[in-house]
């Protein structure tokens, strides 16, 4: 017997669940398929929420340990890993309980299985059940990549999942990679008291950011005591009696670093291999992500995709927006497609990195005339009194309109500051119009007014 549904979400994380939630407004018969051990998705269970809970606790600890800089005497500040772990579990439980309650509310047909396509409109579950759908969305996320490095398959090597689930303080760790996850985990481990080495293959960590942005974070990590090595070539990982050896080339020399643990943070790959996409006529991009149009529709017009499995940005709020857009489109509701020129992303290191809109590299590629203006945090009142002097804010204003096309902030709480500029980019506001806003003194946000003034002044003299 084949069961039929109006809308089927394959994956119950942020993209799939929110697609199903919207679809349920227009269809009576909506199904969610999720075979994971726990319901909730990557963000809640193993991503955003647990990592940021731990990172914030580590920041509080770091500030306490730096108390003398603020005129404070805090004799003893150290981590209690068991208590930290329990706080994390309690925090994410609130989000997990809400998501599970919603999925099990009776609004959806919930299948706790894995699925694969057997035709263009039918999937088969791992228990043999077949489901036929009028519309599908694939939101199966991603998994930790394993590049072709000898030893990377050793079962004792940790991933981000293992680090986020620690209840005891590790003695030492080598973090492989220089992306967002690698940098956040490196700083977290170091701040809670683990001797941490970070090995990055590219010349800079956070290689997708502007080089001078990456350098700010590099200097901060090194100043804190992280052993950071960039521009390397990983050669091998081997197990030893005391932990691991990682061998790599660095500045023309073969180097070996040793630690009790190794963390593979070398990136993630789309989780699509077991879905039988070829049976449904669904095509992939060269990087393995699912090919979609502006409405998230795949090469099979009845099937949509959202989140990490399709990209182009592996960010949870993007997955939510993609899932919602797909569900509206499947329901016949016209919505404006996502504008990736307005994309927003944040790295939760300290200093944080935040970016919105077009980068300088992209502006040059498109031959767009612009003015770049920046201002450093080490010459700004609020950041000085907070001992948060790392970094700068940089704005890109279009010529001759002054419209804000993009912005970069590397600083304390950059992820909070960037939203004022996200509003500006998304709504086409100009530097002159933003200067009509009141920028309160003394605040971190006030620094944004300085490059705005520079853009307005430069346009006035041209």
């Amino acid at each position: 017997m084949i069961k039929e549904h109006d809308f089927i979400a394959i994956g119950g994380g942020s993209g799939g669940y929110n697609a199903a939630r919207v679809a349920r407004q227009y269809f009576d018969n909506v199904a969610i398929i999720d075979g994971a051990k726990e319901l909730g998705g990557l963000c809640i269970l193993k991503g955003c929420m647990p990592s940021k809970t731990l990172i914030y606790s580590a920041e509080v600890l770091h500030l306490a340990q730096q108390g003398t800089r603020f005129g404070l005497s805090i004799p003893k500040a150290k981590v209690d890993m068991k208590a930290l772990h329990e706080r994390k579990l309690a925090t994410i439980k609130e989000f997990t309980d809400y998501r599970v309650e919603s999925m099990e509310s009776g609004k959806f047909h919930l299948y706790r299985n894995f699925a694969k396509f057997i035709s263009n409109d039918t999937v088969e579950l791992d228990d043999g059940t077949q489901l036929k759908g009028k519309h599908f969305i694939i939101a199966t996320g991603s998994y930790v990549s394993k590049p072709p490095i000898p030893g990377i398959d050793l079962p004792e090597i940790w991933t981000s999942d293992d680090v986020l689930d620690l209840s005891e303080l590790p003695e030492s760790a080598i973090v492989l990679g220089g992306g967002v996850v690698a940098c956040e985990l490196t700083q977290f481990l170091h701040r809670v008291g683990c001797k941490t080495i970070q090995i990055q293959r590219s010349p800079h960590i956070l290689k997708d950011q502007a080089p001078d942005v990456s350098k700010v974070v590099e200097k901060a990590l090194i100043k804190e005591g992280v052993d950071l090595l960039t521009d390397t070539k990983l050669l091998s990982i081997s197990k030893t009696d005391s932990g691991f050896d990682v061998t790599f080339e660095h500045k023309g020399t073969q180097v070996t670093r040793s630690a009790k643990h190794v963390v593979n943070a070398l990136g993630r790959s789309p989780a699509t291999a077991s879905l039988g996409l070829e049976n449904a006529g669904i095509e992939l991009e060269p990087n393995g992500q699912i090919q979609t149009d502006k409405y998230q529709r795949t090469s099979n017009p009845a099937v949509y995709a959202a989140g990490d499995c399709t990209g182009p940005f592996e960010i949870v709020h993007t997955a939510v927006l993609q899932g919602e857009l797909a569900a509206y489109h499947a329901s016949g509701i016209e919505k404006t497609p996502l504008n990736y020129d307005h994309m927003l992303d944040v790295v939760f290191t300290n200093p944080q990195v935040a970016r919105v809109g077009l980068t300088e590299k992209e502006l040059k590629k498109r031959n767009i005339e612009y003015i770049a203006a920046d201002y450093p945090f080490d010459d700004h009142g609020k950041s000085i009194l907070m001992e948060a002097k790392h970094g700068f804010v940089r704005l890109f204003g279009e010529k001759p309109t002054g419209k804000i096309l993009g912005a970069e902030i590397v600083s304390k709480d950059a992820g909070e500051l960037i939203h004022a500029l996200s509003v500006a980019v998304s709504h086409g506001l100009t530097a002159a119009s933003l200067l009509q806003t009141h920028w309160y003194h003394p605040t971190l946000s006030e620094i944004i007014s300085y490059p705005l003034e520079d853009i307005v002044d430069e346009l006035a003299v041209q």
Side-chain angles (χ1 to χ4, degrees), residues 331-369:
S331 306
I333 308 299
E334 192 70 26
K335 293 286 183 179
T336 303
L338 276 66
N339 186 343
Y340 293 109
D341 285 354
H342 299 168
M343 180 49 57
L344 172 69
D345 66 89
V346 178
V347 183
F348 288 87
T349 48
N350 189 357
Q352 294 179 1
V353 176
R355 178 177 60 183
V356 67
L358 299 178
T359 64
E360 189 160 21
K361 181 178 179 180
E362 187 64 24
L363 289 167
K364 290 178 178 178
K365 180 180 177 181
R366 299 188 190 185
N367 294 318
I368 296 174
E369 292 192 27

Side-chain angles (χ1 to χ4, degrees), residues 33 43 58 62 76 110 141 149 229 290 292 307 349-350 358-359 368 403 421 443:
I33 305 171
C43 173
H62 178 72
K76 190 176 183 181
L110 179 61
I149 302 166
L229 300 106
I290 297 173
T292 60
T349 48
N350 189 357
L358 299 178
T359 64
I368 296 174
K403 184 168 71 173
L421 295 166
T443 63

Side-chain angles (χ1 to χ4, degrees), residues 287-339:
N287 65 359
Q289 290 181 320
I290 297 173
Q291 190 180 103
T292 60
D293 67 11
K294 63 182 180 179
Y295 294 108
Q296 303 305 129
R297 196 169 38 184
T298 71
S299 50
N300 179 336
V303 182
Y304 299 78
D308 288 9
C309 67
T310 186
F313 300 97
E314 293 75 53
I315 302 172
V316 68
H317 81 266
T318 306
V320 172
L321 292 173
Q322 290 175 335
E324 292 175 343
L325 175 65
Y328 281 121
H329 190 266
S331 306
I333 308 299
E334 192 70 26
K335 293 286 183 179
T336 303
L338 276 66
N339 186 343

Side-chain angles (χ1 to χ4, degrees), residues 168-300:
E168 295 182 1
L169 180 63
E171 173 189 323
S172 59
I174 297 173
V175 178
L176 304 178
V180 175
V181 173
C183 291
E184 290 180 355
L185 293 184
T186 291
Q187 192 169 48
F188 163 71
L189 286 169
H190 172 73
R191 285 185 165 186
V192 296
C194 172
K195 181 181 178 183
T196 309
I197 302 166
Q198 184 177 4
I199 302 174
Q200 160 69 333
R201 293 172 291 183
S202 300
H204 293 289
I205 61 173
L206 303 174
K207 62 185 178 67
D208 293 332
Q209 302 288 338
D212 55 351
V213 170
S214 299
K215 287 178 183 178
V216 172
V217 181
E218 288 175 2
K219 290 178 181 178
L221 291 175
I222 292 169
K223 186 176 180 180
E224 287 189 18
V226 172
D227 186 2
L228 174 62
L229 300 106
T230 59
D231 200 10
T232 70
K233 180 181 179 181
L234 290 169
L235 299 177
S236 66
I237 306 165
S238 57
K239 191 81 176 69
T240 67
D241 292 340
S242 58
F244 291 89
D245 284 345
V246 176
T247 302
F248 54 96
E249 290 181 2
H250 184 239
K251 296 181 179 179
T253 303
Q254 184 168 302
V255 180
T256 298
R257 286 284 197 275
S258 304
K260 187 71 175 176
H261 304 282
V262 168
V263 182
N264 175 7
L266 292 167
R268 300 182 70 89
S269 299
T272 58
S274 63
L275 294 175
L277 299 181
E278 65 281 358
N279 298 324
I282 297 170
E283 298 180 6
L284 300 178
E285 299 287 357
N287 65 359
Q289 290 181 320
I290 297 173
Q291 190 180 103
T292 60
D293 67 11
K294 63 182 180 179
Y295 294 108
Q296 303 305 129
R297 196 169 38 184
T298 71
S299 50
N300 179 336

Side-chain angles (χ1 to χ4, degrees), residues 50-62 65 79-85 87-88 158-170 173 175 180-196 198 221 224 226 263 348-350:
S51 66
K52 277 51 182 181
T53 300
L54 297 176
I55 287 168
Y56 185 75
S57 291
E59 181 179 357
V60 174
L61 173 64
H62 178 72
Q65 291 171 338
V79 71
D80 181 338
M81 287 298 291
K82 184 177 179 180
L84 183 63
H85 178 63
R87 179 178 184 268
K88 179 211 72 175
W158 286 352
T159 67
S160 58
D161 291 359
D162 299 293
V163 176
L164 297 179
D165 207 33
L166 288 172
S167 58
E168 295 182 1
L169 180 63
V175 178
V180 175
V181 173
C183 291
E184 290 180 355
L185 293 184
T186 291
Q187 192 169 48
F188 163 71
L189 286 169
H190 172 73
R191 285 185 165 186
V192 296
C194 172
K195 181 181 178 183
T196 309
Q198 184 177 4
L221 291 175
E224 287 189 18
V226 172
V263 182
F348 288 87
T349 48
N350 189 357

